[in-house]
Short mmCIF file of all heavy atoms in Angstrom, two decimals:
data_model
loop_
_atom_site.label_atom_id
_atom_site.label_comp_id
_atom_site.label_asym_id
_atom_site.label_seq_id
_atom_site.Cartn_x
_atom_site.Cartn_y
_atom_site.Cartn_z
N SER C 12 0.85 -1.19 0.00
CA SER C 12 0.00 0.00 0.00
C SER C 12 0.88 1.24 0.00
O SER C 12 1.98 1.22 0.57
CB SER C 12 -0.92 0.00 1.23
OG SER C 12 -0.19 0.12 2.42
N PRO C 13 0.45 2.33 -0.65
CA PRO C 13 1.31 3.52 -0.79
C PRO C 13 1.74 4.10 0.57
O PRO C 13 1.02 4.00 1.57
CB PRO C 13 0.42 4.50 -1.55
CG PRO C 13 -0.60 3.66 -2.23
CD PRO C 13 -0.84 2.49 -1.32
N LEU C 14 2.88 4.71 0.55
CA LEU C 14 3.38 5.43 1.73
C LEU C 14 2.76 6.82 1.73
O LEU C 14 2.80 7.53 0.73
CB LEU C 14 4.91 5.51 1.69
CG LEU C 14 5.61 4.17 1.93
CD1 LEU C 14 6.94 4.13 1.23
CD2 LEU C 14 5.77 3.93 3.42
N GLU C 15 2.17 7.19 2.86
CA GLU C 15 1.48 8.47 2.91
C GLU C 15 1.45 8.99 4.35
O GLU C 15 1.77 8.26 5.31
CB GLU C 15 0.04 8.33 2.38
CG GLU C 15 -0.77 7.26 3.07
CD GLU C 15 -2.11 6.99 2.42
OE1 GLU C 15 -2.32 7.40 1.26
OE2 GLU C 15 -2.96 6.37 3.09
N GLY C 16 1.04 10.24 4.48
CA GLY C 16 0.89 10.83 5.82
C GLY C 16 2.10 11.59 6.31
O GLY C 16 2.04 12.23 7.37
N GLY C 17 3.19 11.54 5.58
CA GLY C 17 4.39 12.27 6.02
C GLY C 17 4.20 13.77 5.90
O GLY C 17 3.70 14.26 4.88
N ALA C 18 4.55 14.49 6.93
CA ALA C 18 4.42 15.95 6.90
C ALA C 18 5.34 16.57 7.95
O ALA C 18 5.64 15.96 8.98
CB ALA C 18 2.97 16.35 7.16
N ALA C 19 5.74 17.82 7.68
CA ALA C 19 6.59 18.56 8.63
C ALA C 19 6.31 20.04 8.46
O ALA C 19 6.12 20.53 7.34
CB ALA C 19 8.05 18.24 8.38
N GLY C 20 6.23 20.76 9.58
CA GLY C 20 5.97 22.18 9.53
C GLY C 20 4.50 22.50 9.69
O GLY C 20 3.70 21.71 10.23
N LEU C 21 4.08 23.68 9.18
CA LEU C 21 2.69 24.12 9.30
C LEU C 21 1.85 23.46 8.20
O LEU C 21 2.11 23.64 7.02
CB LEU C 21 2.60 25.64 9.17
CG LEU C 21 1.19 26.23 9.31
CD1 LEU C 21 0.63 25.97 10.70
CD2 LEU C 21 1.22 27.72 8.99
N VAL C 22 0.85 22.74 8.63
CA VAL C 22 -0.04 22.05 7.68
C VAL C 22 -1.48 22.24 8.14
O VAL C 22 -1.74 22.72 9.25
CB VAL C 22 0.28 20.54 7.60
CG1 VAL C 22 1.68 20.30 7.05
CG2 VAL C 22 0.11 19.89 8.98
N TYR C 23 -2.40 21.83 7.29
CA TYR C 23 -3.83 21.85 7.63
C TYR C 23 -4.29 20.41 7.88
O TYR C 23 -3.96 19.50 7.11
CB TYR C 23 -4.64 22.48 6.52
CG TYR C 23 -4.43 23.96 6.39
CD1 TYR C 23 -3.42 24.46 5.56
CD2 TYR C 23 -5.22 24.86 7.10
CE1 TYR C 23 -3.22 25.82 5.44
CE2 TYR C 23 -5.02 26.23 6.98
CZ TYR C 23 -4.02 26.71 6.16
OH TYR C 23 -3.81 28.06 6.05
N THR C 24 -5.05 20.24 8.94
CA THR C 24 -5.59 18.92 9.29
C THR C 24 -7.10 19.02 9.46
O THR C 24 -7.64 20.12 9.68
CB THR C 24 -4.96 18.40 10.60
OG1 THR C 24 -5.32 19.28 11.67
CG2 THR C 24 -3.46 18.32 10.48
N PRO C 25 -7.82 17.88 9.42
CA PRO C 25 -9.28 17.93 9.57
C PRO C 25 -9.68 18.30 11.00
O PRO C 25 -9.17 17.73 11.96
CB PRO C 25 -9.72 16.51 9.23
CG PRO C 25 -8.59 15.91 8.51
CD PRO C 25 -7.35 16.54 9.05
N SER C 26 -10.60 19.24 11.10
CA SER C 26 -11.19 19.57 12.39
C SER C 26 -12.36 18.62 12.66
O SER C 26 -12.69 17.76 11.83
CB SER C 26 -11.68 21.01 12.39
OG SER C 26 -12.71 21.17 11.44
N VAL C 27 -13.02 18.78 13.79
CA VAL C 27 -14.18 17.94 14.12
C VAL C 27 -15.28 18.13 13.08
O VAL C 27 -15.91 17.17 12.63
CB VAL C 27 -14.69 18.27 15.54
CG1 VAL C 27 -15.96 17.49 15.83
CG2 VAL C 27 -13.63 17.96 16.58
N SER C 28 -15.52 19.38 12.68
CA SER C 28 -16.54 19.64 11.68
C SER C 28 -16.12 19.09 10.32
O SER C 28 -16.99 18.60 9.55
CB SER C 28 -16.83 21.14 11.58
OG SER C 28 -15.65 21.84 11.19
N ASP C 29 -14.83 19.11 10.02
CA ASP C 29 -14.35 18.53 8.75
C ASP C 29 -14.57 17.02 8.72
O ASP C 29 -14.94 16.46 7.69
CB ASP C 29 -12.86 18.84 8.56
CG ASP C 29 -12.58 20.33 8.42
OD1 ASP C 29 -13.52 21.06 8.05
OD2 ASP C 29 -11.43 20.75 8.68
N ILE C 30 -14.35 16.39 9.86
CA ILE C 30 -14.56 14.93 9.95
C ILE C 30 -16.03 14.59 9.71
O ILE C 30 -16.34 13.60 9.05
CB ILE C 30 -14.10 14.40 11.33
CG1 ILE C 30 -12.58 14.53 11.49
CG2 ILE C 30 -14.53 12.95 11.51
CD1 ILE C 30 -11.78 13.70 10.51
N ARG C 31 -16.94 15.43 10.23
CA ARG C 31 -18.37 15.19 9.99
C ARG C 31 -18.71 15.31 8.51
O ARG C 31 -19.52 14.55 7.98
CB ARG C 31 -19.21 16.16 10.83
CG ARG C 31 -19.28 15.80 12.30
CD ARG C 31 -20.46 16.51 12.97
NE ARG C 31 -20.27 17.95 13.00
CZ ARG C 31 -19.75 18.61 14.05
NH1 ARG C 31 -19.36 17.94 15.12
NH2 ARG C 31 -19.63 19.93 14.01
N ILE C 32 -18.09 16.26 7.85
CA ILE C 32 -18.32 16.43 6.40
C ILE C 32 -17.82 15.22 5.63
O ILE C 32 -18.51 14.70 4.73
CB ILE C 32 -17.63 17.72 5.91
CG1 ILE C 32 -18.31 18.95 6.49
CG2 ILE C 32 -17.66 17.77 4.37
CD1 ILE C 32 -17.59 20.25 6.19
N ILE C 33 -16.63 14.76 6.00
CA ILE C 33 -16.07 13.56 5.33
C ILE C 33 -16.96 12.35 5.59
O ILE C 33 -17.22 11.54 4.69
CB ILE C 33 -14.63 13.30 5.83
CG1 ILE C 33 -13.72 14.46 5.40
CG2 ILE C 33 -14.11 11.98 5.28
CD1 ILE C 33 -12.33 14.41 6.01
N ASP C 34 -17.45 12.23 6.83
CA ASP C 34 -18.33 11.11 7.18
C ASP C 34 -19.62 11.16 6.36
O ASP C 34 -20.11 10.12 5.89
CB ASP C 34 -18.65 11.16 8.68
CG ASP C 34 -19.50 10.00 9.13
OD1 ASP C 34 -18.98 8.87 9.18
OD2 ASP C 34 -20.69 10.21 9.42
N ASN C 35 -20.17 12.35 6.19
CA ASN C 35 -21.40 12.50 5.40
C ASN C 35 -21.16 12.14 3.93
O ASN C 35 -22.00 11.49 3.30
CB ASN C 35 -21.91 13.94 5.53
CG ASN C 35 -23.22 14.14 4.80
OD1 ASN C 35 -24.23 13.50 5.12
ND2 ASN C 35 -23.22 15.02 3.80
N ILE C 36 -20.02 12.56 3.39
CA ILE C 36 -19.68 12.23 1.99
C ILE C 36 -19.58 10.71 1.82
O ILE C 36 -20.11 10.13 0.86
CB ILE C 36 -18.37 12.91 1.58
CG1 ILE C 36 -18.55 14.42 1.51
CG2 ILE C 36 -17.88 12.36 0.24
CD1 ILE C 36 -17.26 15.18 1.28
N ALA C 37 -18.92 10.06 2.77
CA ALA C 37 -18.71 8.61 2.68
C ALA C 37 -20.03 7.85 2.76
O ALA C 37 -20.26 6.88 2.02
CB ALA C 37 -17.76 8.15 3.79
N LYS C 38 -20.94 8.30 3.65
CA LYS C 38 -22.17 7.54 3.89
C LYS C 38 -23.31 7.90 2.93
O LYS C 38 -24.37 7.27 2.99
CB LYS C 38 -22.64 7.78 5.32
CG LYS C 38 -21.72 7.15 6.36
CD LYS C 38 -22.23 7.39 7.78
CE LYS C 38 -21.34 6.71 8.81
NZ LYS C 38 -21.81 6.95 10.20
N THR C 39 -23.09 8.89 2.08
CA THR C 39 -24.13 9.26 1.11
C THR C 39 -23.67 8.96 -0.31
O THR C 39 -23.98 7.89 -0.85
CB THR C 39 -24.50 10.74 1.26
OG1 THR C 39 -23.31 11.55 1.15
CG2 THR C 39 -25.16 11.01 2.60
N SER C 40 -22.95 9.88 -0.91
CA SER C 40 -22.58 9.72 -2.32
C SER C 40 -21.70 8.49 -2.56
O SER C 40 -21.91 7.74 -3.52
CB SER C 40 -21.88 10.98 -2.83
OG SER C 40 -20.68 11.21 -2.12
N PHE C 41 -20.72 8.26 -1.69
CA PHE C 41 -19.84 7.12 -1.89
C PHE C 41 -20.58 5.80 -1.70
O PHE C 41 -20.46 4.86 -2.49
CB PHE C 41 -18.64 7.22 -0.93
CG PHE C 41 -17.59 6.17 -1.15
CD1 PHE C 41 -17.31 5.68 -2.41
CD2 PHE C 41 -16.87 5.67 -0.07
CE1 PHE C 41 -16.33 4.72 -2.61
CE2 PHE C 41 -15.90 4.71 -0.26
CZ PHE C 41 -15.63 4.22 -1.53
N LYS C 42 -21.39 5.73 -0.63
CA LYS C 42 -22.18 4.53 -0.38
C LYS C 42 -23.18 4.28 -1.51
O LYS C 42 -23.39 3.14 -1.94
CB LYS C 42 -22.90 4.65 0.95
CG LYS C 42 -23.74 3.43 1.31
CD LYS C 42 -24.46 3.66 2.63
CE LYS C 42 -25.37 2.49 2.96
NZ LYS C 42 -26.10 2.70 4.24
N ASP C 43 -23.81 5.35 -1.99
CA ASP C 43 -24.79 5.22 -3.08
C ASP C 43 -24.13 4.68 -4.34
O ASP C 43 -24.74 3.88 -5.07
CB ASP C 43 -25.44 6.57 -3.37
CG ASP C 43 -26.37 7.01 -2.25
OD1 ASP C 43 -26.76 6.16 -1.44
OD2 ASP C 43 -26.70 8.22 -2.20
N ASP C 44 -22.91 5.12 -4.61
CA ASP C 44 -22.18 4.62 -5.78
C ASP C 44 -21.96 3.11 -5.68
O ASP C 44 -22.14 2.37 -6.66
CB ASP C 44 -20.85 5.34 -5.94
CG ASP C 44 -21.01 6.79 -6.34
OD1 ASP C 44 -22.10 7.15 -6.83
OD2 ASP C 44 -20.05 7.57 -6.16
N LEU C 45 -21.58 2.66 -4.49
CA LEU C 45 -21.38 1.22 -4.30
C LEU C 45 -22.69 0.46 -4.40
O LEU C 45 -22.76 -0.64 -4.98
CB LEU C 45 -20.73 0.96 -2.93
CG LEU C 45 -19.25 1.31 -2.79
CD1 LEU C 45 -18.79 1.11 -1.35
CD2 LEU C 45 -18.40 0.47 -3.73
N TYR C 46 -23.76 1.05 -3.85
CA TYR C 46 -25.07 0.38 -3.88
C TYR C 46 -25.57 0.20 -5.31
O TYR C 46 -26.15 -0.84 -5.65
CB TYR C 46 -26.07 1.19 -3.07
CG TYR C 46 -27.44 0.56 -2.97
CD1 TYR C 46 -27.65 -0.61 -2.25
CD2 TYR C 46 -28.54 1.13 -3.61
CE1 TYR C 46 -28.89 -1.20 -2.17
CE2 TYR C 46 -29.79 0.56 -3.54
CZ TYR C 46 -29.97 -0.61 -2.81
OH TYR C 46 -31.21 -1.20 -2.73
N LYS C 47 -25.33 1.20 -6.16
CA LYS C 47 -25.74 1.09 -7.57
C LYS C 47 -24.99 -0.04 -8.27
O LYS C 47 -25.56 -0.73 -9.12
CB LYS C 47 -25.51 2.42 -8.28
CG LYS C 47 -26.48 3.52 -7.85
CD LYS C 47 -26.15 4.84 -8.52
CE LYS C 47 -27.10 5.95 -8.05
NZ LYS C 47 -26.74 7.25 -8.65
N LYS C 48 -23.73 -0.21 -7.92
CA LYS C 48 -22.96 -1.32 -8.51
C LYS C 48 -23.53 -2.66 -8.08
O LYS C 48 -23.59 -3.60 -8.88
CB LYS C 48 -21.49 -1.20 -8.09
CG LYS C 48 -20.74 -0.04 -8.74
CD LYS C 48 -19.28 -0.06 -8.34
CE LYS C 48 -18.52 1.09 -9.02
NZ LYS C 48 -17.08 1.09 -8.65
N VAL C 49 -23.94 -2.75 -6.81
CA VAL C 49 -24.53 -4.00 -6.33
C VAL C 49 -25.86 -4.27 -7.03
O VAL C 49 -26.13 -5.39 -7.46
CB VAL C 49 -24.73 -3.94 -4.80
CG1 VAL C 49 -25.48 -5.18 -4.31
CG2 VAL C 49 -23.38 -3.83 -4.09
N GLN C 50 -26.70 -3.24 -7.15
CA GLN C 50 -27.99 -3.40 -7.82
C GLN C 50 -27.83 -3.93 -9.24
O GLN C 50 -28.62 -4.76 -9.70
CB GLN C 50 -28.73 -2.06 -7.87
CG GLN C 50 -29.45 -1.68 -6.58
CD GLN C 50 -30.23 -0.40 -6.73
OE1 GLN C 50 -29.73 0.60 -7.25
NE2 GLN C 50 -31.48 -0.40 -6.30
N ALA C 51 -26.83 -3.46 -9.94
CA ALA C 51 -26.60 -3.90 -11.32
C ALA C 51 -26.11 -5.33 -11.39
O ALA C 51 -26.13 -5.93 -12.47
CB ALA C 51 -25.60 -2.97 -12.00
#
């Protein structure tokens, strides 16, 4: 699996509200895309 996550210095990270947005994206549009594949 790719190497990732390395960082040094000033960076931007997900806040609590950002995590909720990511969670909503995953459980709606991403999940729906997978569900359509299963239906087919």
Side-chain angles (χ1 to χ4, degrees):
S12 65
L14 289 151
E15 55 188 16
L21 182 63
V22 296
Y23 290 89
T24 63
S26 64
V27 175
S28 61
D29 296 337
I30 293 296
R31 284 198 294 265
I32 292 173
I33 295 172
D34 183 71
N35 183 61
I36 292 173
K38 291 181 177 179
T39 55
S40 62
F41 186 34
K42 181 182 177 181
D43 290 342
D44 291 342
L45 286 175
Y46 183 68
K47 289 176 182 177
K48 290 183 178 180
V49 174
Q50 280 184 312

